[in-house]
Amino acid sequence: MTPAAPISPLVQAFFVEHLLRHKRASPQTVSAYRDTFCLLLGFLHATQGLEPTTVCLADLEAPTILLFLEHLEQQRQNSVRSRNARLAALRSFFRFVALRCPEALDLAARVLAIPTKRTERRLVGSLTRAEMDALLASTDPTCWAGRRDHALLLTLYNTGARVSEITALRRSEVSFGASPSLQLHGKGRKERAVPLWTRTARVLTAWFQELGPADGVAFPNTRRGPLTRHGVMYLLAEAVQRARPSCPSLTTKRVSPHVIRHTTAMHLLQAGVDPATIALWLGHESLETTHIYVEADLAMKEQALGKLAPLGPGTRRFKATDALLGFLATL
């Protein structure tokens, strides 16, 4: 296949053969890569008038890809992380192109040489216990949606589940008894069991009885289908809006399902749970991911500071006695 040939067969082979058959990529990965190609083809149509079926490899030179990435940041207001995620999808495609089409190896190498942008590593956001209690208390127990929202938010807080894990949770994956727990299917096809508080088990028992005996998703929408990611974000935003009058500190915080996950990890850490257990609880791939909560916990840092003896009055500052050392000290 020459660089002047349409890329349609390559794109189809990339998704059907490479991602699904050879790599067995997760549905989330396939969806993210699909969205990247939809955005790229839309960009080429808007800027160069190219129809998607006529786009060829020669139209995807490195300068064009760079313009597309710049478009994502400036026109679509995407973050640097989102820009890097789109670039990762395109890199995966061009690695496949390099193997499938040796004649396009130079083009693929130029695209693969596009660097990822450095991102600022910000402290993770989390809620205090009072703020989390205000969120849970803001749900309406007198209506069906309110009882569902309370059960969902409490389960999110108890388990630290990702939003994709909680929307896919089925009633049959929740076990009640002497040791209540639930099974989560996480990132990278990792499964984990998370214990439930007595309060969470009691709320879920009542909620499942209201849903009926048939198995299905644990937290359905009003049409009894699975909630979407945007649906969970919407009901959480509504809960935050209702909780703000009783908890004004929520006004200055941006609350998302992932912030609830961070809150679970932070509260476990503050309760004295070791990072290794928290990593297993949240389904982290490595302990390095869990260490971000240690960095963000100001209370732990203040305790460490309290153990540090202050400098005594007799401590003298270093003064250079040599001309060269004095010069170096001025730099």
Side-chain angles (χ1 to χ4, degrees), residues 138-174:
S138 69
T139 55
D140 185 3
T142 63
C143 67
W144 183 89
R147 291 189 291 273
R148 178 205 60 191
D149 296 352
H150 181 78
L152 187 150
L153 293 177
L154 181 59
T155 307
L156 270 178
Y157 176 48
N158 184 161
T159 62
R162 300 177 179 90
V163 66
S164 59
E165 296 169 346
I166 207 70
T167 54
L169 179 68
R170 302 187 68 83
R171 279 175 268 168
S172 58
E173 294 170 335
V174 182

PDB file of all heavy atoms in Angstrom, residues 138-174:
ATOM      1  N   SER A 138     -27.781  15.316  51.066  1.00  0.00           N
ATOM      2  CA  SER A 138     -28.535  16.174  50.150  1.00  0.00           C
ATOM      3  C   SER A 138     -29.508  15.398  49.266  1.00  0.00           C
ATOM      4  O   SER A 138     -30.349  15.993  48.604  1.00  0.00           O
ATOM      5  CB  SER A 138     -27.568  16.958  49.258  1.00  0.00           C
ATOM      6  OG  SER A 138     -26.916  16.082  48.346  1.00  0.00           O
ATOM      7  N   THR A 139     -29.398  14.063  49.230  1.00  0.00           N
ATOM      8  CA  THR A 139     -30.296  13.274  48.383  1.00  0.00           C
ATOM      9  C   THR A 139     -31.674  13.188  49.014  1.00  0.00           C
ATOM     10  O   THR A 139     -31.830  13.233  50.245  1.00  0.00           O
ATOM     11  CB  THR A 139     -29.737  11.863  48.168  1.00  0.00           C
ATOM     12  OG1 THR A 139     -29.502  11.252  49.445  1.00  0.00           O
ATOM     13  CG2 THR A 139     -28.418  11.913  47.398  1.00  0.00           C
ATOM     14  N   ASP A 140     -32.702  13.046  48.201  1.00  0.00           N
ATOM     15  CA  ASP A 140     -34.099  13.029  48.655  1.00  0.00           C
ATOM     16  C   ASP A 140     -34.553  11.586  48.883  1.00  0.00           C
ATOM     17  O   ASP A 140     -34.741  10.843  47.916  1.00  0.00           O
ATOM     18  CB  ASP A 140     -34.978  13.705  47.604  1.00  0.00           C
ATOM     19  CG  ASP A 140     -36.424  13.829  48.062  1.00  0.00           C
ATOM     20  OD1 ASP A 140     -36.718  13.446  49.210  1.00  0.00           O
ATOM     21  OD2 ASP A 140     -37.263  14.304  47.269  1.00  0.00           O
ATOM     22  N   PRO A 141     -34.763  11.172  50.125  1.00  0.00           N
ATOM     23  CA  PRO A 141     -35.156   9.780  50.377  1.00  0.00           C
ATOM     24  C   PRO A 141     -36.612   9.481  50.061  1.00  0.00           C
ATOM     25  O   PRO A 141     -37.033   8.318  50.139  1.00  0.00           O
ATOM     26  CB  PRO A 141     -34.883   9.612  51.875  1.00  0.00           C
ATOM     27  CG  PRO A 141     -35.051  10.983  52.443  1.00  0.00           C
ATOM     28  CD  PRO A 141     -34.600  11.939  51.373  1.00  0.00           C
ATOM     29  N   THR A 142     -37.399  10.505  49.697  1.00  0.00           N
ATOM     30  CA  THR A 142     -38.827  10.298  49.449  1.00  0.00           C
ATOM     31  C   THR A 142     -39.131   9.932  48.001  1.00  0.00           C
ATOM     32  O   THR A 142     -40.268   9.590  47.686  1.00  0.00           O
ATOM     33  CB  THR A 142     -39.616  11.565  49.814  1.00  0.00           C
ATOM     34  OG1 THR A 142     -39.206  12.652  48.956  1.00  0.00           O
ATOM     35  CG2 THR A 142     -39.375  11.955  51.263  1.00  0.00           C
ATOM     36  N   CYS A 143     -38.130   9.995  47.098  1.00  0.00           N
ATOM     37  CA  CYS A 143     -38.380   9.665  45.691  1.00  0.00           C
ATOM     38  C   CYS A 143     -37.399   8.584  45.234  1.00  0.00           C
ATOM     39  O   CYS A 143     -36.343   8.381  45.830  1.00  0.00           O
ATOM     40  CB  CYS A 143     -38.278  10.906  44.800  1.00  0.00           C
ATOM     41  SG  CYS A 143     -36.625  11.615  44.682  1.00  0.00           S
ATOM     42  N   TRP A 144     -37.763   7.900  44.150  1.00  0.00           N
ATOM     43  CA  TRP A 144     -36.972   6.783  43.626  1.00  0.00           C
ATOM     44  C   TRP A 144     -35.567   7.239  43.230  1.00  0.00           C
ATOM     45  O   TRP A 144     -34.578   6.601  43.591  1.00  0.00           O
ATOM     46  CB  TRP A 144     -37.702   6.200  42.419  1.00  0.00           C
ATOM     47  CG  TRP A 144     -37.056   4.998  41.818  1.00  0.00           C
ATOM     48  CD1 TRP A 144     -37.270   3.692  42.154  1.00  0.00           C
ATOM     49  CD2 TRP A 144     -36.080   4.972  40.760  1.00  0.00           C
ATOM     50  NE1 TRP A 144     -36.500   2.853  41.386  1.00  0.00           N
ATOM     51  CE2 TRP A 144     -35.762   3.609  40.514  1.00  0.00           C
ATOM     52  CE3 TRP A 144     -35.455   5.954  39.992  1.00  0.00           C
ATOM     53  CZ2 TRP A 144     -34.842   3.212  39.548  1.00  0.00           C
ATOM     54  CZ3 TRP A 144     -34.532   5.564  39.034  1.00  0.00           C
ATOM     55  CH2 TRP A 144     -34.227   4.214  38.806  1.00  0.00           C
ATOM     56  N   ALA A 145     -35.481   8.359  42.506  1.00  0.00           N
ATOM     57  CA  ALA A 145     -34.174   8.848  42.056  1.00  0.00           C
ATOM     58  C   ALA A 145     -33.303   9.259  43.229  1.00  0.00           C
ATOM     59  O   ALA A 145     -32.084   9.049  43.221  1.00  0.00           O
ATOM     60  CB  ALA A 145     -34.351  10.013  41.090  1.00  0.00           C
ATOM     61  N   GLY A 146     -33.902   9.836  44.266  1.00  0.00           N
ATOM     62  CA  GLY A 146     -33.134  10.245  45.437  1.00  0.00           C
ATOM     63  C   GLY A 146     -32.544   9.058  46.182  1.00  0.00           C
ATOM     64  O   GLY A 146     -31.404   9.107  46.647  1.00  0.00           O
ATOM     65  N   ARG A 147     -33.325   7.991  46.320  1.00  0.00           N
ATOM     66  CA  ARG A 147     -32.810   6.793  46.989  1.00  0.00           C
ATOM     67  C   ARG A 147     -31.705   6.139  46.161  1.00  0.00           C
ATOM     68  O   ARG A 147     -30.716   5.633  46.706  1.00  0.00           O
ATOM     69  CB  ARG A 147     -33.952   5.811  47.240  1.00  0.00           C
ATOM     70  CG  ARG A 147     -34.955   6.303  48.284  1.00  0.00           C
ATOM     71  CD  ARG A 147     -35.942   5.233  48.665  1.00  0.00           C
ATOM     72  NE  ARG A 147     -36.860   4.911  47.577  1.00  0.00           N
ATOM     73  CZ  ARG A 147     -38.005   5.549  47.321  1.00  0.00           C
ATOM     74  NH1 ARG A 147     -38.371   6.565  48.094  1.00  0.00           N
ATOM     75  NH2 ARG A 147     -38.786   5.186  46.324  1.00  0.00           N
ATOM     76  N   ARG A 148     -31.878   6.153  44.831  1.00  0.00           N
ATOM     77  CA  ARG A 148     -30.813   5.620  43.975  1.00  0.00           C
ATOM     78  C   ARG A 148     -29.536   6.440  44.104  1.00  0.00           C
ATOM     79  O   ARG A 148     -28.431   5.893  44.236  1.00  0.00           O
ATOM     80  CB  ARG A 148     -31.260   5.608  42.522  1.00  0.00           C
ATOM     81  CG  ARG A 148     -30.200   5.109  41.542  1.00  0.00           C
ATOM     82  CD  ARG A 148     -30.407   5.649  40.159  1.00  0.00           C
ATOM     83  NE  ARG A 148     -30.357   7.099  40.122  1.00  0.00           N
ATOM     84  CZ  ARG A 148     -30.709   7.828  39.072  1.00  0.00           C
ATOM     85  NH1 ARG A 148     -31.148   7.247  37.973  1.00  0.00           N
ATOM     86  NH2 ARG A 148     -30.642   9.150  39.119  1.00  0.00           N
ATOM     87  N   ASP A 149     -29.684   7.773  44.079  1.00  0.00           N
ATOM     88  CA  ASP A 149     -28.509   8.641  44.163  1.00  0.00           C
ATOM     89  C   ASP A 149     -27.778   8.458  45.487  1.00  0.00           C
ATOM     90  O   ASP A 149     -26.536   8.449  45.532  1.00  0.00           O
ATOM     91  CB  ASP A 149     -28.921  10.102  43.986  1.00  0.00           C
ATOM     92  CG  ASP A 149     -29.492  10.397  42.602  1.00  0.00           C
ATOM     93  OD1 ASP A 149     -29.418   9.505  41.745  1.00  0.00           O
ATOM     94  OD2 ASP A 149     -30.005  11.504  42.396  1.00  0.00           O
ATOM     95  N   HIS A 150     -28.535   8.296  46.573  1.00  0.00           N
ATOM     96  CA  HIS A 150     -27.892   8.095  47.876  1.00  0.00           C
ATOM     97  C   HIS A 150     -27.114   6.788  47.890  1.00  0.00           C
ATOM     98  O   HIS A 150     -25.961   6.742  48.349  1.00  0.00           O
ATOM     99  CB  HIS A 150     -28.946   8.091  48.976  1.00  0.00           C
ATOM    100  CG  HIS A 150     -28.373   7.913  50.352  1.00  0.00           C
ATOM    101  ND1 HIS A 150     -27.763   8.942  51.043  1.00  0.00           N
ATOM    102  CD2 HIS A 150     -28.288   6.817  51.158  1.00  0.00           C
ATOM    103  CE1 HIS A 150     -27.332   8.507  52.208  1.00  0.00           C
ATOM    104  NE2 HIS A 150     -27.638   7.209  52.305  1.00  0.00           N
ATOM    105  N   ALA A 151     -27.726   5.716  47.383  1.00  0.00           N
ATOM    106  CA  ALA A 151     -27.042   4.422  47.353  1.00  0.00           C
ATOM    107  C   ALA A 151     -25.815   4.476  46.461  1.00  0.00           C
ATOM    108  O   ALA A 151     -24.755   3.922  46.792  1.00  0.00           O
ATOM    109  CB  ALA A 151     -28.011   3.339  46.870  1.00  0.00           C
ATOM    110  N   LEU A 152     -25.904   5.168  45.326  1.00  0.00           N
ATOM    111  CA  LEU A 152     -24.773   5.250  44.395  1.00  0.00           C
ATOM    112  C   LEU A 152     -23.618   6.046  44.996  1.00  0.00           C
ATOM    113  O   LEU A 152     -22.460   5.606  44.952  1.00  0.00           O
ATOM    114  CB  LEU A 152     -25.244   5.877  43.086  1.00  0.00           C
ATOM    115  CG  LEU A 152     -24.250   5.897  41.915  1.00  0.00           C
ATOM    116  CD1 LEU A 152     -24.994   5.838  40.587  1.00  0.00           C
ATOM    117  CD2 LEU A 152     -23.381   7.137  41.941  1.00  0.00           C
ATOM    118  N   LEU A 153     -23.909   7.218  45.569  1.00  0.00           N
ATOM    119  CA  LEU A 153     -22.843   8.058  46.132  1.00  0.00           C
ATOM    120  C   LEU A 153     -22.184   7.384  47.327  1.00  0.00           C
ATOM    121  O   LEU A 153     -20.962   7.463  47.489  1.00  0.00           O
ATOM    122  CB  LEU A 153     -23.413   9.424  46.533  1.00  0.00           C
ATOM    123  CG  LEU A 153     -23.888  10.323  45.386  1.00  0.00           C
ATOM    124  CD1 LEU A 153     -24.493  11.612  45.917  1.00  0.00           C
ATOM    125  CD2 LEU A 153     -22.741  10.641  44.437  1.00  0.00           C
ATOM    126  N   LEU A 154     -22.987   6.703  48.146  1.00  0.00           N
ATOM    127  CA  LEU A 154     -22.421   6.010  49.303  1.00  0.00           C
ATOM    128  C   LEU A 154     -21.524   4.863  48.848  1.00  0.00           C
ATOM    129  O   LEU A 154     -20.440   4.641  49.414  1.00  0.00           O
ATOM    130  CB  LEU A 154     -23.543   5.490  50.197  1.00  0.00           C
ATOM    131  CG  LEU A 154     -23.114   4.753  51.473  1.00  0.00           C
ATOM    132  CD1 LEU A 154     -22.256   5.652  52.366  1.00  0.00           C
ATOM    133  CD2 LEU A 154     -24.330   4.245  52.237  1.00  0.00           C
ATOM    134  N   THR A 155     -21.942   4.147  47.794  1.00  0.00           N
ATOM    135  CA  THR A 155     -21.121   3.052  47.276  1.00  0.00           C
ATOM    136  C   THR A 155     -19.840   3.579  46.638  1.00  0.00           C
ATOM    137  O   THR A 155     -18.767   2.983  46.779  1.00  0.00           O
ATOM    138  CB  THR A 155     -21.923   2.221  46.259  1.00  0.00           C
ATOM    139  OG1 THR A 155     -23.154   1.805  46.855  1.00  0.00           O
ATOM    140  CG2 THR A 155     -21.143   1.003  45.808  1.00  0.00           C
ATOM    141  N   LEU A 156     -19.935   4.690  45.930  1.00  0.00           N
ATOM    142  CA  LEU A 156     -18.738   5.315  45.361  1.00  0.00           C
ATOM    143  C   LEU A 156     -17.739   5.670  46.456  1.00  0.00           C
ATOM    144  O   LEU A 156     -16.536   5.414  46.334  1.00  0.00           O
ATOM    145  CB  LEU A 156     -19.118   6.576  44.583  1.00  0.00           C
ATOM    146  CG  LEU A 156     -19.457   6.468  43.098  1.00  0.00           C
ATOM    147  CD1 LEU A 156     -19.863   7.828  42.551  1.00  0.00           C
ATOM    148  CD2 LEU A 156     -18.281   5.918  42.305  1.00  0.00           C
ATOM    149  N   TYR A 157     -18.251   6.259  47.528  1.00  0.00           N
ATOM    150  CA  TYR A 157     -17.370   6.682  48.631  1.00  0.00           C
ATOM    151  C   TYR A 157     -16.790   5.483  49.363  1.00  0.00           C
ATOM    152  O   TYR A 157     -15.610   5.462  49.721  1.00  0.00           O
ATOM    153  CB  TYR A 157     -18.161   7.568  49.585  1.00  0.00           C
ATOM    154  CG  TYR A 157     -17.416   8.007  50.823  1.00  0.00           C
ATOM    155  CD1 TYR A 157     -16.126   8.528  50.736  1.00  0.00           C
ATOM    156  CD2 TYR A 157     -17.998   7.911  52.083  1.00  0.00           C
ATOM    157  CE1 TYR A 157     -15.441   8.939  51.870  1.00  0.00           C
ATOM    158  CE2 TYR A 157     -17.322   8.315  53.221  1.00  0.00           C
ATOM    159  CZ  TYR A 157     -16.042   8.818  53.111  1.00  0.00           C
ATOM    160  OH  TYR A 157     -15.359   9.211  54.232  1.00  0.00           O
ATOM    161  N   ASN A 158     -17.595   4.448  49.580  1.00  0.00           N
ATOM    162  CA  ASN A 158     -17.142   3.250  50.276  1.00  0.00           C
ATOM    163  C   ASN A 158     -16.053   2.522  49.480  1.00  0.00           C
ATOM    164  O   ASN A 158     -15.028   2.111  50.034  1.00  0.00           O
ATOM    165  CB  ASN A 158     -18.344   2.344  50.506  1.00  0.00           C
ATOM    166  CG  ASN A 158     -18.033   1.088  51.306  1.00  0.00           C
ATOM    167  OD1 ASN A 158     -18.935   0.466  51.850  1.00  0.00           O
ATOM    168  ND2 ASN A 158     -16.797   0.670  51.392  1.00  0.00           N
ATOM    169  N   THR A 159     -16.249   2.383  48.191  1.00  0.00           N
ATOM    170  CA  THR A 159     -15.369   1.532  47.383  1.00  0.00           C
ATOM    171  C   THR A 159     -14.253   2.283  46.678  1.00  0.00           C
ATOM    172  O   THR A 159     -13.253   1.673  46.293  1.00  0.00           O
ATOM    173  CB  THR A 159     -16.188   0.796  46.322  1.00  0.00           C
ATOM    174  OG1 THR A 159     -16.800   1.758  45.433  1.00  0.00           O
ATOM    175  CG2 THR A 159     -17.280  -0.050  46.968  1.00  0.00           C
ATOM    176  N   GLY A 160     -14.407   3.596  46.454  1.00  0.00           N
ATOM    177  CA  GLY A 160     -13.434   4.330  45.660  1.00  0.00           C
ATOM    178  C   GLY A 160     -13.433   3.875  44.213  1.00  0.00           C
ATOM    179  O   GLY A 160     -12.414   3.953  43.520  1.00  0.00           O
ATOM    180  N   ALA A 161     -14.588   3.417  43.732  1.00  0.00           N
ATOM    181  CA  ALA A 161     -14.689   2.873  42.381  1.00  0.00           C
ATOM    182  C   ALA A 161     -14.584   3.965  41.332  1.00  0.00           C
ATOM    183  O   ALA A 161     -14.969   5.121  41.565  1.00  0.00           O
ATOM    184  CB  ALA A 161     -16.007   2.119  42.208  1.00  0.00           C
ATOM    185  N   ARG A 162     -14.063   3.609  40.177  1.00  0.00           N
ATOM    186  CA  ARG A 162     -14.107   4.492  39.013  1.00  0.00           C
ATOM    187  C   ARG A 162     -15.544   4.565  38.521  1.00  0.00           C
ATOM    188  O   ARG A 162     -16.339   3.647  38.736  1.00  0.00           O
ATOM    189  CB  ARG A 162     -13.195   3.984  37.900  1.00  0.00           C
ATOM    190  CG  ARG A 162     -11.728   3.868  38.288  1.00  0.00           C
ATOM    191  CD  ARG A 162     -10.916   3.291  37.145  1.00  0.00           C
ATOM    192  NE  ARG A 162      -9.491   3.195  37.467  1.00  0.00           N
ATOM    193  CZ  ARG A 162      -8.921   2.133  38.027  1.00  0.00           C
ATOM    194  NH1 ARG A 162      -9.659   1.069  38.319  1.00  0.00           N
ATOM    195  NH2 ARG A 162      -7.632   2.117  38.292  1.00  0.00           N
ATOM    196  N   VAL A 163     -15.873   5.643  37.818  1.00  0.00           N
ATOM    197  CA  VAL A 163     -17.252   5.803  37.358  1.00  0.00           C
ATOM    198  C   VAL A 163     -17.619   4.698  36.373  1.00  0.00           C
ATOM    199  O   VAL A 163     -18.776   4.230  36.357  1.00  0.00           O
ATOM    200  CB  VAL A 163     -17.451   7.219  36.746  1.00  0.00           C
ATOM    201  CG1 VAL A 163     -16.622   7.393  35.479  1.00  0.00           C
ATOM    202  CG2 VAL A 163     -18.916   7.475  36.455  1.00  0.00           C
ATOM    203  N   SER A 164     -16.676   4.243  35.555  1.00  0.00           N
ATOM    204  CA  SER A 164     -16.967   3.155  34.617  1.00  0.00           C
ATOM    205  C   SER A 164     -17.245   1.848  35.363  1.00  0.00           C
ATOM    206  O   SER A 164     -18.037   1.019  34.907  1.00  0.00           O
ATOM    207  CB  SER A 164     -15.805   2.963  33.645  1.00  0.00           C
ATOM    208  OG  SER A 164     -14.601   2.670  34.345  1.00  0.00           O
ATOM    209  N   GLU A 165     -16.600   1.661  36.519  1.00  0.00           N
ATOM    210  CA  GLU A 165     -16.823   0.453  37.307  1.00  0.00           C
ATOM    211  C   GLU A 165     -18.183   0.476  37.978  1.00  0.00           C
ATOM    212  O   GLU A 165     -18.861  -0.545  38.050  1.00  0.00           O
ATOM    213  CB  GLU A 165     -15.715   0.313  38.356  1.00  0.00           C
ATOM    214  CG  GLU A 165     -14.319   0.124  37.776  1.00  0.00           C
ATOM    215  CD  GLU A 165     -13.223   0.251  38.806  1.00  0.00           C
ATOM    216  OE1 GLU A 165     -13.505   0.749  39.916  1.00  0.00           O
ATOM    217  OE2 GLU A 165     -12.083  -0.139  38.502  1.00  0.00           O
ATOM    218  N   ILE A 166     -18.593   1.638  38.472  1.00  0.00           N
ATOM    219  CA  ILE A 166     -19.854   1.716  39.212  1.00  0.00           C
ATOM    220  C   ILE A 166     -21.046   1.642  38.270  1.00  0.00           C
ATOM    221  O   ILE A 166     -22.102   1.101  38.626  1.00  0.00           O
ATOM    222  CB  ILE A 166     -19.896   2.997  40.073  1.00  0.00           C
ATOM    223  CG1 ILE A 166     -20.790   2.795  41.295  1.00  0.00           C
ATOM    224  CG2 ILE A 166     -20.365   4.192  39.278  1.00  0.00           C
ATOM    225  CD1 ILE A 166     -20.221   1.857  42.325  1.00  0.00           C
ATOM    226  N   THR A 167     -20.927   2.183  37.057  1.00  0.00           N
ATOM    227  CA  THR A 167     -22.050   2.113  36.115  1.00  0.00           C
ATOM    228  C   THR A 167     -22.229   0.700  35.556  1.00  0.00           C
ATOM    229  O   THR A 167     -23.327   0.335  35.141  1.00  0.00           O
ATOM    230  CB  THR A 167     -21.848   3.095  34.951  1.00  0.00           C
ATOM    231  OG1 THR A 167     -20.574   2.859  34.326  1.00  0.00           O
ATOM    232  CG2 THR A 167     -21.908   4.539  35.431  1.00  0.00           C
ATOM    233  N   ALA A 168     -21.143  -0.091  35.532  1.00  0.00           N
ATOM    234  CA  ALA A 168     -21.225  -1.462  35.015  1.00  0.00           C
ATOM    235  C   ALA A 168     -21.557  -2.479  36.109  1.00  0.00           C
ATOM    236  O   ALA A 168     -21.779  -3.654  35.801  1.00  0.00           O
ATOM    237  CB  ALA A 168     -19.911  -1.849  34.337  1.00  0.00           C
ATOM    238  N   LEU A 169     -21.588  -2.053  37.378  1.00  0.00           N
ATOM    239  CA  LEU A 169     -21.823  -2.974  38.485  1.00  0.00           C
ATOM    240  C   LEU A 169     -23.222  -3.582  38.389  1.00  0.00           C
ATOM    241  O   LEU A 169     -24.219  -2.880  38.193  1.00  0.00           O
ATOM    242  CB  LEU A 169     -21.670  -2.234  39.819  1.00  0.00           C
ATOM    243  CG  LEU A 169     -21.899  -3.055  41.088  1.00  0.00           C
ATOM    244  CD1 LEU A 169     -20.786  -4.089  41.261  1.00  0.00           C
ATOM    245  CD2 LEU A 169     -21.990  -2.134  42.304  1.00  0.00           C
ATOM    246  N   ARG A 170     -23.307  -4.906  38.558  1.00  0.00           N
ATOM    247  CA  ARG A 170     -24.575  -5.619  38.543  1.00  0.00           C
ATOM    248  C   ARG A 170     -24.911  -6.089  39.953  1.00  0.00           C
ATOM    249  O   ARG A 170     -24.032  -6.300  40.798  1.00  0.00           O
ATOM    250  CB  ARG A 170     -24.526  -6.809  37.584  1.00  0.00           C
ATOM    251  CG  ARG A 170     -24.185  -6.415  36.153  1.00  0.00           C
ATOM    252  CD  ARG A 170     -24.310  -7.586  35.216  1.00  0.00           C
ATOM    253  NE  ARG A 170     -25.693  -8.005  35.051  1.00  0.00           N
ATOM    254  CZ  ARG A 170     -26.546  -7.431  34.211  1.00  0.00           C
ATOM    255  NH1 ARG A 170     -26.163  -6.408  33.449  1.00  0.00           N
ATOM    256  NH2 ARG A 170     -27.792  -7.874  34.115  1.00  0.00           N
ATOM    257  N   ARG A 171     -26.195  -6.271  40.186  1.00  0.00           N
ATOM    258  CA  ARG A 171     -26.643  -6.663  41.522  1.00  0.00           C
ATOM    259  C   ARG A 171     -26.065  -8.016  41.929  1.00  0.00           C
ATOM    260  O   ARG A 171     -25.789  -8.255  43.112  1.00  0.00           O
ATOM    261  CB  ARG A 171     -28.173  -6.708  41.560  1.00  0.00           C
ATOM    262  CG  ARG A 171     -28.822  -5.335  41.750  1.00  0.00           C
ATOM    263  CD  ARG A 171     -30.320  -5.443  41.649  1.00  0.00           C
ATOM    264  NE  ARG A 171     -30.775  -5.215  40.285  1.00  0.00           N
ATOM    265  CZ  ARG A 171     -32.002  -5.462  39.862  1.00  0.00           C
ATOM    266  NH1 ARG A 171     -32.888  -5.958  40.690  1.00  0.00           N
ATOM    267  NH2 ARG A 171     -32.344  -5.211  38.622  1.00  0.00           N
ATOM    268  N   SER A 172     -25.877  -8.913  40.969  1.00  0.00           N
ATOM    269  CA  SER A 172     -25.339 -10.234  41.283  1.00  0.00           C
ATOM    270  C   SER A 172     -23.882 -10.171  41.740  1.00  0.00           C
ATOM    271  O   SER A 172     -23.367 -11.150  42.287  1.00  0.00           O
ATOM    272  CB  SER A 172     -25.448 -11.144  40.057  1.00  0.00           C
ATOM    273  OG  SER A 172     -24.755 -10.586  38.952  1.00  0.00           O
ATOM    274  N   GLU A 173     -23.203  -9.035  41.520  1.00  0.00           N
ATOM    275  CA  GLU A 173     -21.803  -8.890  41.915  1.00  0.00           C
ATOM    276  C   GLU A 173     -21.658  -8.305  43.314  1.00  0.00           C
ATOM    277  O   GLU A 173     -20.548  -8.072  43.774  1.00  0.00           O
ATOM    278  CB  GLU A 173     -21.070  -8.006  40.901  1.00  0.00           C
ATOM    279  CG  GLU A 173     -20.968  -8.650  39.524  1.00  0.00           C
ATOM    280  CD  GLU A 173     -20.476  -7.697  38.452  1.00  0.00           C
ATOM    281  OE1 GLU A 173     -20.654  -6.469  38.611  1.00  0.00           O
ATOM    282  OE2 GLU A 173     -19.922  -8.191  37.452  1.00  0.00           O
ATOM    283  N   VAL A 174     -22.786  -8.072  43.992  1.00  0.00           N
ATOM    284  CA  VAL A 174     -22.774  -7.592  45.373  1.00  0.00           C
ATOM    285  C   VAL A 174     -23.158  -8.754  46.275  1.00  0.00           C
ATOM    286  O   VAL A 174     -24.189  -9.397  46.074  1.00  0.00           O
ATOM    287  CB  VAL A 174     -23.748  -6.419  45.574  1.00  0.00           C
ATOM    288  CG1 VAL A 174     -23.677  -5.901  47.005  1.00  0.00           C
ATOM    289  CG2 VAL A 174     -23.442  -5.298  44.588  1.00  0.00           C
TER     290      VAL A 174
END
